[in-house]
Amino acid sequence: MSDARWAWGVGLATTSEDGTVLDAWFPSPAAGRIPLGLDPAMPPDELDRHAVPDPRRAVTLDVVTVEANLDEPPTSTPDAYLRLHVLSHRLAEPNTVDLDGIFAHLPNVAWTNAGPMHPDDAARLRPFLSREGIQVQGLDKFPRLLDYVIPPGVRIADASRVRLGAYLSPGTTVMHEGFVNFNAGTLGASMVEGRISQGVVVGDGSDIGGGASIMGTLSGGGAHRVSIGARTLLGANAGVGISLGDDCIVEAGLYVTAGSKIVLADAPPRHDGSRVTAKGGELSGENGILFRRNSLTGAIEAVRRAGAGVTLNDALHA
């Protein structure tokens, strides 16, 4: 198997008093196998000095060395965290790393401004945490991206809106109400003011408008992984459950799913005067389409459009 399908890293794992591994941070993960001659028993000094107990949170930090076959499912919590780091460090694009069963290796964690804690310990030690100025900021399996990785060339207005495992290309701006899940993200400079769900990728130069939503696959949404092409606009409060090609526009407030009945506005009427229609799934991935709602009939219409799609503000995404 090619070394390109492996990854490795040396990092710090946090373990609670009951032995639960809560997380693992890998500052410099790398593609390939562990280099010959590397001694896992001799961690870098900058990590080794942090491998100490933290009695405030009832945890211990230990140096870990992990090597993962990215074509096979994760086998442990540190393995799962390495894969999320691989994505956020842009070593592999979304949907190219095997994440099957990852939830089983990610415990529910009390995320604090001092680091992760076991939820039971957070409840038990709350008076002491308050005295130390430690606040619980969330209770979840996934942490915030910016607590582990600072992707260069990216703007993120609200750290709580982007999970570790998100893939954000240089030039991407995630506004305050934007959200990017793990194993999802942008393949170029993009504006994100809406929701990018797990497994979804957005092409270069596209704009996900405020309040817009892109259907993922985690909650029983089917096996199709939705993608958004380049220079495509998903209008404010709009949504899609189908893929959009390049240079497409979805009108603000319009939600298009695979089962939506869509009038092909450019097609001539049938002999009986009825309009030609298609299901949304039949138009999935096609380029240069404007999806709109007829203000008189309420019907969803698809109109072929020529030329390039949206143009982002270069200064904003520089």
Side-chain angles (χ1 to χ4, degrees):
M1 183 174 294
S2 169
D3 283 352
R5 297 305 309 158
W6 288 75
W8 69 280
V10 180
L12 285 174
T14 308
T15 304
S16 64
E17 290 181 344
D18 71 352
T20 301
V21 179
L22 302 175
D23 81 334
W25 170 57
F26 298 94
S28 302
R33 307 296 297 268
I34 295 178
L36 294 175
L38 178 70
D39 184 358
M42 296 293 292
D45 290 341
E46 61 270 23
L47 288 181
D48 195 38
R49 68 169 61 100
H50 297 296
V52 294
D54 185 349
R56 302 173 306 163
R57 295 183 286 133
V59 300
T60 300
L61 281 73
D62 299 290
V63 175
V64 292
T65 300
V66 178
E67 184 180 60
N69 182 343
L70 302 182
D71 291 322
E72 295 182 358
T75 59
S76 66
T77 298
D79 182 332
Y81 267 84
L82 177 61
R83 292 163 195 260
L84 298 176
H85 280 74
V86 163
L87 289 164
S88 291
H89 278 274
R90 305 171 187 154
L91 298 177
E93 292 187 354
N95 304 317
T96 66
V97 176
D98 193 334
L99 301 177
D100 288 348
I102 190 170
F103 288 98
H105 297 291
L106 297 176
N108 205 29
V109 172
W111 301 104
T112 80
N113 57 334
M117 292 185 66
H118 194 290
D120 293 346
D121 293 330
R124 175 175 59 88
L125 299 173
R126 181 171 293 278
F128 302 97
L129 299 177
S130 298
R131 188 176 62 199
E132 294 289 331
I134 298 176
Q135 299 176 333
V136 177
Q137 300 173 328
L139 193 64
D140 194 9
K141 287 178 173 287
F142 286 85
R144 306 184 303 182
L145 167 69
L146 296 185
D147 289 339
Y148 293 79
V149 180
I150 306 294
V154 168
R155 296 172 59 206
I156 300 174
D158 186 345
S160 66
R161 305 287 294 174
V162 183
R163 279 176 157 178
L164 179 64
Y167 181 107
L168 299 178
S169 291
T172 292
T173 294
V174 183
M175 296 299 288
H176 294 79
E177 294 305 316
F179 173 83
V180 186
N181 211 338
F182 77 101
N183 194 37
T186 61
L187 304 183
S190 299
M191 170 61 79
V192 182
E193 299 178 89
R195 180 182 180 87
I196 301 180
S197 300
Q198 192 274 147
V200 173
V201 291
V202 175
D204 185 36
S206 289
D207 187 335
I208 309 304
S213 177
I214 306 171
M215 189 181 296
T217 58
L218 282 179
S219 299
H224 174 65
R225 291 190 181 273
V226 176
S227 62
I228 306 297
R231 302 173 304 279
T232 285
L233 170 64
L234 188 56
N237 296 316
V240 289
I242 63 172
S243 293
L244 301 176
D246 299 339
D247 306 309
C248 290
I249 295 176
V250 178
E251 179 185 83
L254 176 63
Y255 208 114
V256 181
T257 67
S260 296
K261 184 177 181 180
I262 300 174
V263 175
L264 305 182
D266 298 325
R270 297 187 179 94
H271 67 277
D272 61 358
S274 63
R275 304 303 302 270
V276 178
T277 63
K279 287 187 175 182
E282 298 175 60
L283 301 176
S284 183
E286 292 199 22
N287 299 326
I289 297 182
L290 164 63
F291 293 92
R292 68 188 185 193
R293 188 175 293 280
N294 188 300
S295 60
L296 296 178
T297 67
I300 301 175
E301 296 179 338
V303 181
R304 295 286 177 180
R305 56 188 308 275
V310 298
T311 301
L312 299 181
N313 185 326
D314 290 338
L316 185 65
H317 295 270

